[in-house]
Amino acid sequence: MRVRATTHISATPGKGCTNGCSPPGGGARWSGQTGGTGGVDDAFSQLFAPGIGAEIMGAGKFGHPGWHEDPDWKGAWGPNPPFHTPVFVLTHHPRPSIEMEGGTTFHFIDASPAEALETAREAADGQDVRLGGGPTMVRDFLAAGLVDNMHIVVVPILLGRGVGLWDGLEGLEKNYQIEATSSPSGVTHLTFTRAGV
């Protein structure tokens, strides 16, 4: 069983800025797609779901700031979220689990990366655990040495704000084999594979 991280970042002068960022004035300035458009992008997007038995995501990916104060909030994906596995939402505001259509059940836990991973591994029943983001959560798991494989999509847009994925992770590249694949859509797919995995 592997721990896989998947996220999208945007190239900005000086440092990467992760998903959830917006360009100055709002609205995307890049019209390309990050997957599912054919060719290389489609090949990578097809790797998203197979072999995943559980997902871990941060509170910011599950919902907008303050979602924990709304007892009816069930995420932004509608009644049948795309995960189809147990999903463990890391939050300082645990609440009862929410069972959705299609096999997704959201569990809300206040745990360290290692504790959350142990819980997700048990639920994954021998399959891989995906780290779905956001960037701060992925960075915490990387800093703890818990990520086996990572796929990052670098999107060429200029953003005005956001969270740097690499902050505090200097030297990370020494532990991974890194490959870059460019796409005609304008994005670059980076894959990180831990040495020995």
Side-chain angles (χ1 to χ4, degrees), residues 2-6 47-57 61 82-88 117 120 124 127-133 137:
R2 297 172 298 156
V3 178
R4 296 195 253 164
T6 302
L47 299 175
F48 179 76
I52 298 295
E55 173 149 343
I56 302 171
M57 71 172 60
K61 179 176 177 179
F83 311 107
H84 310 297
T85 66
V87 176
F88 297 90
L117 181 56
Q127 296 188 78
D128 291 350
V129 173
R130 180 174 50 231
L131 304 177
M137 189 211 74

Side-chain angles (χ1 to χ4, degrees), residues 30-35 37-38 40-41 153 155-156 182-189:
W30 179 72
S31 60
Q33 302 294 315
T34 58
T37 60
V40 132
D41 295 328
V153 182
V155 182
S182 296
S183 165
S185 68
V187 305
T188 300
H189 297 269

Side-chain angles (χ1 to χ4, degrees), residues 110-121:
D110 187 357
S112 70
E115 293 166 337
L117 181 56
E118 182 178 344
T119 301
R121 278 186 168 146

Side-chain angles (χ1 to χ4, degrees), residues 2-27:
R2 297 172 298 156
V3 178
R4 296 195 253 164
T6 302
T7 192
H8 297 79
I9 68 170
S10 302
T12 64
K15 69 183 212 176
C17 178
T18 63
N19 53 337
C21 308
S22 63

Side-chain angles (χ1 to χ4, degrees), residues 5 8 26 29 64 76 109 113 117 131 140 161-163 175 188 192:
H8 297 79
R29 294 189 180 181
H64 57 278
I109 60 174
L117 181 56
L131 304 177
D140 290 346
R161 60 186 171 84
V163 178
N175 300 320
T188 300
F192 290 67

Side-chain angles (χ1 to χ4, degrees), residues 11 28 30 32 39 42 44 49 63-64 87 89 107 119-120 128-129 132 137-138 151 158 161 167 184 190:
W30 179 72
D42 190 57
F44 275 104
H64 57 278
V87 176
V89 180
H107 304 281
T119 301
D128 291 350
V129 173
M137 189 211 74
V138 170
H151 172 218
L158 180 63
R161 60 186 171 84
D167 294 349
L190 298 175

Side-chain angles (χ1 to χ4, degrees), residues 139 143 165-170:
R139 189 173 59 234
L165 180 61
W166 307 117
D167 294 349
L169 296 175
E170 292 79 10

